[in-house]
Amino acid sequence: MEEMRDMAQSTLAVASAAVISLVLGDDNLLGEILLRLGFATDLVRAAAVCRRWLRAASDPVFLRRFRDLHPPRLHGFYIDSYPNPTLKRRFYAEFVPMQPQPPELAAVLRRGRFSLDTYDSQSTRVLDCRNGRVIVSLFCGGDFKRGVHSPLHPARDLVIFPQLPKKDVPDSDSYSSKIRIFYEILSKESVDGLSYFAVSLDYCVNEEKATTCVYRLQDNAWRMQTSATTQISGLQGSSLKQLSIFLAEDKIYMGITMHNILVLDLTSSTFSTIKFPDKMSFDGQIILSRANGAGIYLSHVKDLQLCIWLHMDCNGSIGDWLLVDTISLHDLCANLKISNSSTTEDGDDPDNGDDLDAYVHMVGGNAEYVFLEMDRYILYLDVRSRALHKVHTVTEKNTLISFIHPFMMTWPPVFPALQE
């Protein structure tokens, strides 16, 4: 009897192995199974099983399908802030993890080194976050140093950039004939990882000319890539309160004026402009963000109304903007019971929300999410689901938030190199 039971179990095991081999031996079925994994971290572990699974998981067509179904998740965000605007600015950067996190991503956060407090610095700023890398600026001993922090690789030290190219920094007072609008480090994804660019914009008030210089980091040295000048009238008096500057494909988009986006094409070293949507009022807050392909998003907030516009071909002609979404922040804030605390001093209903002010700090790629500040709360808005969440509370009364930098899951996944 026992022998018959053993034979039955053996037969069942052989049959099960045959069925499993039949399923996993079919590349199409294997791809469909891998497609149902929830996170890129799961995909990396599956790819370590064997070379065949690695080939299936790393196939570019499969990765595009996987990303469409499972977009990279937001691990958390860095907040740049300074304690009091009346004092000399001393920035500090704080990492805030998104909560709740699924167990797979919570484990990633526990293993990482996200804090920047271990670095010797009197003033710490995050300049950019992209694909698992954080560009930081540290001030110590009367000098700045900038470099790349890798939170997901705790053993790595800060990779210091060489000193930025020395330029004559103009005076910042209104009587100067030349002013510095910005000097930033931008990053761009490439086949070899990330490329880094130092970008400056200076404005000559007397001649009404803006000049941009772009340096690329190559062989641990900043090398001039391009320099271009364009005519802009009254830039000093028409700059946006919050500048939106980013690099996409081979173009640098600069949301620096109240009526136009300035675009520098790195391949041709030429400027062009994109007019803001004709139907959009020129007050309120404006911030730009990347779009997949040749396009940009513009988010505009006025009177607690968020409008999201998409510009696809970026040729600056009239009619290129499409209003893709309109969201009432008033209604969402009411659901969270957020009110301006100052209204209670006037005897008004603290829950009516009429006096709420929304400040937009960051809009994610493809305008998928928005970070706002309201009544000392940092809020995260998932644009697709219309879900608004409190993700951080600003506890210090005089602390001002300067900028928010999202830290996303790395994409594409870094797959293991299997031994022969």
Side-chain angles (χ1 to χ4, degrees), residues 17-254:
V19 172
I20 293 173
S21 177
L22 181 64
V23 172
L24 297 184
D26 186 319
D27 287 344
N28 292 328
L29 287 177
L30 176 61
E32 292 300 320
I33 293 172
L34 294 178
L35 198 62
R36 281 153 177 79
L37 296 175
F39 305 101
T41 50
D42 298 331
L43 202 59
V44 172
R45 285 194 290 270
V49 170
C50 63
R51 294 183 181 85
R52 190 160 160 273
W53 284 34
L54 173 60
R55 287 194 299 270
S58 59
D59 179 72
V61 176
F62 168 81
L63 285 176
R64 283 194 293 270
R65 292 182 63 200
F66 188 91
R67 193 186 190 286
D68 289 340
L69 286 176
H70 314 288
R73 296 286 291 267
L74 182 63
H75 285 304
F77 54 96
Y78 284 92
I79 300 178
D80 279 347
S81 56
Y82 52 93
N84 193 318
T86 62
L87 303 176
K88 190 174 183 180
R89 292 185 179 184
R90 285 293 183 266
F91 286 92
Y92 61 93
E94 174 186 7
F95 179 75
V96 179
M98 293 292 288
Q99 299 294 346
Q101 290 276 5
E104 296 87 345
L105 300 189
V108 173
L109 290 176
R110 287 194 301 270
R111 292 192 299 265
R113 182 167 63 95
F114 291 87
S115 174
L116 303 175
D117 294 341
T118 56
Y119 297 121
D120 185 15
S121 176
Q122 299 168 316
S123 180
T124 303
R125 289 180 59 207
V126 173
L127 304 180
D128 193 18
C129 281
R130 187 189 286 260
N131 220 16
R133 302 292 186 268
V134 182
I135 303 177
V136 299
S137 172
L138 309 175
F139 181 78
C140 185
D143 199 7
F144 288 95
K145 63 179 180 181
R146 301 168 180 85
V148 178
H149 174 71
S150 302
L152 301 181
H153 301 276
R156 293 184 186 176
D157 200 359
L158 186 71
V159 179
I160 302 296
F161 288 139
Q163 287 293 325
L164 291 176
K166 296 296 184 181
K167 295 171 60 66
D168 294 332
V169 180
D171 298 331
S172 59
D173 61 80
S174 59
Y175 300 101
S176 173
S177 61
K178 191 177 182 182
I179 58 174
R180 171 71 39 84
I181 304 299
F182 65 82
Y183 198 174
E184 299 288 342
I185 296 180
L186 307 178
S187 60
K188 174 187 174 184
E189 296 178 14
S190 60
V191 292
D192 299 324
L194 290 182
S195 299
Y196 300 100
F197 299 80
V199 183
S200 67
L201 179 69
D202 294 334
Y203 183 63
C204 181
V205 178
N206 296 338
E207 299 178 6
E208 295 190 325
K209 290 182 178 179
T211 300
T212 298
C213 294
V214 181
Y215 299 84
R216 183 172 183 172
L217 186 63
Q218 293 178 309
D219 300 324
N220 202 36
W222 294 106
R223 305 183 187 281
M224 171 68 79
Q225 172 148 339
T226 189
S227 178
T229 300
T230 188
Q231 197 83 25
I232 300 179
S233 298
L235 174 60
Q236 187 179 9
S238 63
S239 295
L240 293 177
K241 292 181 180 179
Q242 179 166 332
L243 306 183
S244 298
I245 305 152
F246 63 87
L247 173 61
E249 301 294 333
D250 290 316
K251 293 182 179 180
I252 298 176
Y253 296 91
M254 295 168 271

